[in-house]
Amino acid sequence: LAERAIKLCCRYLCRSYSNASDMEAREEIHVASCMAGIAFNSAGLGLNHGMAHQLGAMFHIPHGRANAMLLPYIISYNSNIVDMTIPQEHYPACVKKYCEIAASLGIINFNEVSTVRSLMNYLKILVREMDMPCCIEDIGTISKEEYFAAIEPMAEAALLDATTKTNPRKPTKEEIMAIYRDLWDFERTEI
């Protein structure tokens, strides 16, 4: 269900966004939403949602927007490939899943590292195509001082969030704080 929901979103989300009268696209996004809800009811969500909950609570960022902004960072964190440029013998299990998701979307590269990075870049492109902010600074209503002062309490709350418990990689408070810091300025952060 989750994989089918991902495919539907990648196929129809931009269409639905760019043309509100495209009933086929809207219906398919509705179906994707229902499938995703059924899937996460069984499988759980993970760190992405745990951190997004805190962004919504502290800064009233809509949940879907917060999730979209965070997703490339969380894929990078979970896959733990950010500093690797060559294939390794063993990856975290989620790397295989990310590669399977990428392949199902037609994103195939010459190794696991480049495939996961391509998936992250694809997601960043989707966010930009729908005129969504890519980072907290892009929102324009939150000061840097206000945001950075909230990072530690948000990280503590994200660590305790029930959805974080099902993340494939167990984060520390410091790792969550680092992701929140990186989320401030998209252009200066290398994912």
Side-chain angles (χ1 to χ4, degrees), residues 9 24 27 53 68 82 85 106 142-143:
C9 284
E24 178 189 17
E27 287 172 16
H53 289 153
V82 78
T85 57
I142 304 165
S143 74

Side-chain angles (χ1 to χ4, degrees), residues 65-81:
R65 180 174 291 175
N67 275 293
M69 289 176 6
L70 280 164
L71 191 54
Y73 295 91
I74 301 303
I75 291 173
S76 177
Y77 170 77
N78 283 339
S79 61
N80 200 24
I81 63 165

Side-chain angles (χ1 to χ4, degrees), residues 2-13:
E3 290 171 0
R4 180 71 178 144
I6 291 167
K7 286 182 187 178
L8 288 173
C9 284
C10 288
R11 183 170 183 188
Y12 292 103
L13 190 58

